[in-house]
Amino acid sequence: MRIGSSTGGIYSSAYKKNESSMEKVLKQLSTFQRVNNASDDAASLAISQKLQAQINGYNKGAENAAVGQNLLYTAGGGVESIESDLQRIRELAVGASNDTLTSNDKAAIQVEIDQLVQNIDDTVANTTFNEQALLDGTFTGKTVGTNSDGNGLTINLPDLSSEALGIQDFDVTGEFSIDDIDNALSTID
């Protein structure tokens, strides 16, 4: 009596099992991850995916923070220009407070002040970021999602127009107060 055995089948089964294990190990090595799919370790995969989502959120938050920083740099440039104009208006107003000046002298000073006030309003109108006005008082309550959950910093930028600063009709040819300019400067600080 002869007992039939199929050693080829046994070797084939062992080979396939070995090949499958080898593929798994190679995949782990090539991806630098111990867990690549649920069959490797379902619990670890779930944790890994959760952590990866948090990492992605932090990365996006960092990108958003950089955009927010650029926005603030843009607004800061506008504020510096307005502050410079206000400093010049104050300097001119101090000069115009000298009673030795004629009305023509004060009128000439007023021409420059009017130009500076217009420059302030032009700066307010033209200081934008991503087509959004920054210094006209409409950029308030805006959130920059810097956290992994989308929350972050809230930005409120003031209205720095000549009207809001109280200098729209500042005129050194008549009665005026330098306090008006000082108040406008304190709004910016």
Side-chain angles (χ1 to χ4, degrees):
M1 161 174 208
R2 186 162 197 218
I3 298 177
S5 70
S6 172
T7 56
I10 293 172
Y11 290 128
S12 175
S13 175
Y15 176 77
K16 285 182 183 179
K17 185 177 180 182
N18 228 0
E19 185 177 28
S20 175
S21 293
M22 186 68 110
E23 284 178 16
K24 181 179 175 182
V25 169
L26 287 174
K27 188 172 185 180
Q28 288 173 339
L29 287 172
S30 67
T31 62
F32 297 105
Q33 295 179 350
R34 185 181 69 81
V35 179
N36 287 298
N37 56 45
S39 68
D40 293 340
D41 184 349
S44 293
L45 181 64
I47 292 168
S48 172
Q49 289 175 338
K50 180 181 174 187
L51 291 174
Q52 187 61 49
Q54 286 179 338
I55 290 168
N56 292 342
Y58 287 127
N59 288 340
K60 190 49 145 171
E63 289 175 26
N64 289 348
V67 169
Q69 186 175 27
N70 290 336
L71 179 142
L72 292 175
Y73 284 149
T74 301
V79 170
E80 286 177 15
S81 175
I82 292 169
E83 184 175 24
S84 175
D85 290 340
L86 286 171
Q87 290 289 355
R88 178 65 180 149
I89 291 171
R90 188 180 193 291
E91 180 183 339
L92 291 169
V94 169
S97 66
N98 184 352
D99 286 336
T100 62
L101 296 178
T102 67
S103 59
N104 287 338
D105 294 335
K106 290 182 179 186
I109 290 171
Q110 186 60 42
V111 168
E112 185 177 349
I113 288 173
D114 290 342
Q115 290 171 344
L116 291 165
V117 168
Q118 183 59 51
N119 190 50
I120 288 170
D121 287 333
D122 290 345
T123 300
V124 168
N126 295 318
T127 303
T128 62
F129 189 85
N130 196 24
E131 300 179 9
Q132 297 181 71
L134 298 180
L135 302 178
D136 66 355
T138 60
F139 201 89
T140 59
K142 306 288 183 171
T143 300
V144 177
T146 56
N147 299 338
S148 66
D149 62 1
N151 293 317
L153 303 173
T154 301
I155 298 175
N156 295 302
L157 298 176
D159 184 351
L160 296 180
S161 65
S162 63
E163 182 178 5
L165 293 173
I167 61 160
Q168 184 177 26
D169 298 320
F170 187 76
D171 190 345
V172 296
T173 61
E175 291 290 320
F176 68 93
S177 173
I178 294 175
D179 289 342
D180 294 340
I181 303 303
D182 290 339
N183 291 336
L185 282 164
S186 69
T187 300
I188 291 178
D189 292 335

